[in-house]
Amino acid sequence: MIKDLLNELQKDADKKGVHLQRAFSDFVEDLYQMIKSDNIDRMKYLTYFELVSKYPFYDILADVCVEIGRFDAKRGQYMTPFELAQCLNRMSQPDKRMNPEMLDFSCGTGIMGLVTLHKTYQDMFIAENRICPSSFGIEVKIHLNDLDNEMSKISTIQIYINWLLHCSIVFKLDLLVTQNNVISDWKEPLKVIFKSEESVQNFESMSKAKKNNLMLNPPFGLKDYGFEYAKNNSSQSRFKDGIPNKGDCEYAFILSAIDLLTDDGKAFLVLPRGVQFKDSTRKFRKSMRFQKILDAVIALPSKVFEETSIPTCVFMLNKDRSDAVKAQGVYMMNLDQAA
């Protein structure tokens, strides 16, 4: 699917006398600047635009990143498969919403935003080529964040171009893309990479960026998520149950996600399966059970990710569970066995 785009990038690399990754970085920066200045030259990158037209909402640039070795396993970067992201999105928003919103504070190439666009687009049609009249006036609110500057720009490109080619006629997009460390930049001003001209997402900091829908695949296995910062800022509401150990990065992200949910919000986190069992994080699981916000734990099939064989699962958090659902406890599913 991406062969022609890779060939073009290789030709550009050869012409400039640089490595393929550098040519890809130049491509990303140039297209990002076009979007930011609202002066897009489609003919310059016709191959990419044709791919987006032919494969709407697909994570095209993630495939490119895999092919050229752009993802960094040491930083916990693994590509979320499109099918998995799509399933999470359907679970997070099973019904049509007039103005859907979502946050992904470790967005990578923007796959969670892409599937949000996709579902909103599909929900607008009551039949082939027939838009539901009540769908007009919808605005999709997406906030994507990543510590990696280039990933933030890649996600900007993928969300904006897909919306431009496939959705701009039928609904508005309020897109905010930031580059903040969700742990240590919690109270710092947002470092804005892109913001829609009429955006209403005017948050002072990441700690204020609450949404009713979070979809996350945060980094796995970091040796230090920002432990010293957390220890020195233990009064923050997300750390009310304690500070995760230096090597328990996943729970630092889980606690941050819980704090960023609105009172009626849901969060879906893709995590290494070990988070269910570690003794050092028992108190956090106990707190989630006591608050009754852990809706379900789903063990995913093996080899979901191409770049790692780490067994994974999904934590489904829900702050708006009914009393009847709370009484049922936590739903457990093993898709590994089913597969």
Side-chain angles (χ1 to χ4, degrees):
M1 180 177 74
I2 61 170
K3 183 179 178 180
D4 289 343
L5 181 56
L6 286 171
N7 287 339
E8 283 198 4
L9 290 171
Q10 187 61 64
K11 288 179 181 177
D12 187 50
D14 294 341
K15 182 179 179 181
K16 295 177 178 177
V18 297
H19 292 296
L20 183 57
Q21 282 196 13
R22 173 58 188 273
F24 177 66
S25 295
D26 290 345
F27 160 82
V28 169
E29 184 63 28
D30 193 28
L31 191 45
Y32 161 72
Q33 291 296 340
M34 287 183 184
I35 292 170
K36 195 174 179 182
S37 63
D38 195 21
N39 184 24
I40 300 173
D41 183 355
R42 299 192 188 193
M43 295 306 298
K44 185 173 183 179
Y45 296 116
L46 182 60
T47 301
Y48 174 68
F49 278 88
E50 288 178 342
L51 280 172
V52 176
S53 295
K54 188 175 181 179
Y55 303 101
F57 312 110
Y58 189 75
D59 200 358
I60 291 168
L61 296 185
D63 282 356
V64 174
C65 287
V66 170
E67 287 296 321
I68 67 175
R70 172 58 180 79
F71 288 120
D72 186 352
K74 292 181 180 179
R75 299 174 70 177
Q77 292 180 333
Y78 302 111
M79 184 184 80
T80 308
F82 178 81
E83 295 78 10
L84 173 58
Q86 199 169 44
C87 287
L88 296 182
N89 186 252
R90 287 171 180 168
M91 288 189 290
S92 70
Q93 301 186 69
D95 304 316
K96 295 181 181 180
R97 292 190 178 185
M98 280 305 296
N99 292 293
E101 64 179 35
M102 63 84 61
L103 164 66
D104 181 357
F105 59 60
S106 55
C107 68
T109 54
I111 180 61
M112 300 302 187
L114 287 171
V115 296
T116 300
L117 287 183
H118 186 203
K119 186 177 185 301
T120 305
Y121 181 80
Q122 287 182 320
D123 285 349
M124 295 191 71
F125 291 85
I126 53 177
E128 187 176 359
N129 297 324
R130 288 184 60 196
I131 298 178
C132 177
S134 63
S135 295
F136 288 103
I138 283 180
E139 181 174 67
V140 180
K141 197 182 298 179
I142 295 175
H143 181 186
L144 302 177
N145 177 82
D146 203 282
L147 185 57
D148 186 319
N149 178 266
E150 188 166 84
M151 288 296 163
S152 299
K153 292 175 179 178
I154 289 172
S155 62
T156 299
I157 291 168
Q158 296 217 108
I159 300 301
Y160 189 85
I161 298 300
N162 271 274
W163 171 78
L164 182 67
L165 295 185
H166 304 294
C167 311
S168 57
I169 296 177
V170 289
F171 63 79
K172 295 180 180 179
L173 173 65
D174 181 344
L175 175 62
L176 173 65
V177 182
T178 54
Q179 187 200 343
N180 285 67
N181 185 320
V182 75
I183 303 300
S184 60
D185 290 342
W186 189 248
K187 296 285 187 177
E188 298 299 317
L190 291 177
K191 302 168 187 175
V192 177
I193 298 297
F194 180 83
K195 187 175 183 179
S196 297
E197 186 174 349
E198 298 181 359
S199 176
V200 296
Q201 300 187 77
N202 300 313
F203 314 116
E204 297 174 1
S205 63
M206 184 61 69
S207 64
K208 303 292 186 182
K210 294 180 182 289
K211 291 282 190 298
N212 62 26
N213 177 29
L214 272 67
M215 294 193 295
L216 307 164
N217 178 16
F220 295 177
L222 299 180
K223 293 181 179 179
D224 184 358
Y225 64 87
F227 175 72
E228 286 300 320
Y229 173 87
K231 189 169 66 172
N232 293 331
N233 292 273
S234 59
S235 61
Q236 292 178 0
S237 57
R238 56 178 169 167
F239 297 134
K240 65 181 184 296
D241 294 317
I243 305 298
N245 291 342
K246 185 180 291 189
D248 293 329
C249 69
E250 294 83 10
Y251 274 88
F253 297 127
I254 291 171
L255 297 179
S256 299
I258 293 172
D259 205 65
L260 286 170
L261 279 176
T262 57
D263 291 339
D264 62 344
K266 298 179 181 180
F268 296 76
L269 295 92
V270 181
L271 301 162
R273 210 177 296 177
V275 300
Q276 302 176 62
F277 314 112
K278 291 183 72 173
D279 287 340
S280 60
T281 54
R282 187 189 302 272
K283 62 182 177 182
F284 302 117
R285 293 192 296 277
K286 183 178 179 180
S287 177
M288 284 190 285
R289 290 195 299 270
F290 179 77
Q291 297 176 66
K292 297 184 177 180
I293 61 172
L294 183 58
D295 215 352
V297 178
I298 303 173
L300 297 175
S302 57
K303 298 182 179 179
V304 167
F305 295 92
E306 293 184 10
E307 306 93 338
T308 179
S309 59
I310 297 173
T312 53
C313 66
V314 173
F315 270 28
M316 298 170 57
L317 307 174
N318 186 354
K319 282 192 174 180
D320 194 30
R321 302 174 83 199
S322 66
D323 290 338
V325 172
K326 287 179 180 178
Q328 295 174 9
V330 180
Y331 183 72
M332 308 290 285
M333 180 182 290
N334 191 343
L335 295 182
D336 200 9
Q337 289 183 353

